Amino acid sequence: MPRLFIMLVVAAVTATASAQPLIHVRLSADHARILAVRLERIGYDVLEGGVSDRAIEMIVSDEELAALRAAGYAVEVIAKSRPFRDIQEERNAAAPDVPSGYLTLPEIITLMNTTAATYPSICKVVDLTTKYGTPAAANGNHLYALKISDNVAADEDEPAFLLVACHHAREVNSVVVAFEAVTRLTSGYGSNPAITDLVNKYEIWVIPVANPDGYDYMFNINNNWRKNRRPNPGGSFGVDQNRNYPIGWTASCAGSTTPSSDTYKGPSAGSEPETQTIIAFSNDRHLTKVHDIHSYGRETLYSYLCLSYPFTTFMGQQAAALSTAAGYSGAIRAPSAEGEEEEWQMAKRGSLAFLTEVGTEFQPTYASAQAEAAQVWGGVQWLLQRPITIAGHVRNAYTGQPVVANITYQGVTFSNGETNFSEPRFGRYHCFLPAGSYTIQFSAAGYISQNKLVTATTNTEQTFEIQLVPVCYPDCNGDGVLGLADFGCFQTKFALNDPYADCNGDGVLGLADFGCFQTKFALGCP
Ligand SMILES: [Zn+2]
């Protein structure tokens, strides 16, 4: 077919597609961020950067405008518009290069390695993708972390802190915040007492680029790129990694279901290799505190957007203090959607986890990003220094071995499958609680549950070492002694076909069993 003819056909189709008049509008509403997520999910074209707490800018057709007004929304027409996709593509094409000074992905990995080589006793590089056997990102990139701690080669019984940046590729200034922390923690160790304390007390993990494929593409092809580089059905690319975490993924305010959308949440919860790697790492390290850095907005995000959380007020207070320490005057808001990384850490690990949006643009001059990072370090350090409200270990009372125990709070209801538990390596646990009195329950299969009454205070850390007693079958009634009352208890259990009641396994309950129980009881309970 002659080339000219093809071009005419394309032009004709384009003309038809754009024949429908489009309108740039501003919709005003309370909870505009939640509404924007919902509108985008049902196919509305929400303009990037056009959403605030009380307004949403969109490109709509006449029919969509009529539908919005019929639904009772206050919609103001700003101007006639060109098609949404044209505007987005034009923005991408017109986007300048990344300003000079920022590092490419290979340069970032090199800097991680040279930092570790300079401070080998407190800093090392870990290839998370290899360590956890998770899939590489679509273009083959791995995720790397720097571990900073005293005795860095050892796996120490210390709380873990994660600073993670660049889930969104174009947010290059977030990477500068990550390296600012790395520089201060490594160069300050041994000379700055506050930093020395933190490096001694914590295992600190820094992931400068959580989205290496997207970062590489952003740096070399399109500096306005946000998502990873998964090839989607229909020819578009990318999943928004910070909508892909398995928390609230099916909620009404989860990310977009449209693959071409900049906030596409992926084909399933946790579908992305990058998400899987960070989850595997988090499962292993049981992170006590997490700070997720994005840009832009100069504010700290906390709790959920549309799901309920019993400690939201407390998390908001903590977020405001973090924001203040970062130089952002206490500015806070709810997350942009459900399925974000910091939400998952809070929900599934009981971590003190927040997201801070730094700066006033994605790619300011490098000098400006450095100045901002120096300021935001105050927030990073604040979170590191924050007391762990209740901390300690859960261990087997007889053997001292660590026990993985579920941790719940009597009278406090979590409604989205939230969990908190002690980790398996050392039995270490953490609870972040608003000031007040709580009955914390520690429970594990094969152990007698234990309630611990605590009074949490705002600015102190309390440690409670929990000794869980294994369920003791010989002490049938659990009174700590073996006596006739236990034999009555065994008779009841035997009648209920409890296999442990027939201690010697001869099919009948008799005096021989009582002798058997005495022997087991004397040995400590099985
Ligand atoms: Zn972001």
Side-chain angles (χ1 to χ4, degrees), residues 8-32:
L8 284 173
V9 171
V10 172
V13 170
T14 306
T16 307
S18 61
Q20 192 179 31
L22 291 165
I23 312 153
H24 181 178
V25 299
R26 181 186 296 114
L27 183 156
S28 299
D30 291 337
H31 311 295

Side-chain angles (χ1 to χ4, degrees), residues 405-422:
N406 284 315
I407 297 171
T408 54
Y409 313 113
Q410 281 186 6
V412 179
T413 305
F414 293 92
S415 43
N416 310 292
E418 288 88 345
T419 50
N420 189 8
F421 50 91
S422 48

Side-chain angles (χ1 to χ4, degrees), residues 416-453:
N416 310 292
E418 288 88 345
T419 50
N420 189 8
F421 50 91
S422 48
E423 54 81 42
R425 289 171 297 147
F426 305 104
R428 177 173 281 279
Y429 75 91
H430 53 249
C431 303
F432 290 97
L433 297 165
S437 293
Y438 301 86
T439 301
I440 306 180
Q441 183 169 81
F442 298 86
S443 59
Y447 292 86
I448 298 165
S449 294
Q450 192 174 134
N451 289 341
K452 183 77 193 169
L453 184 65

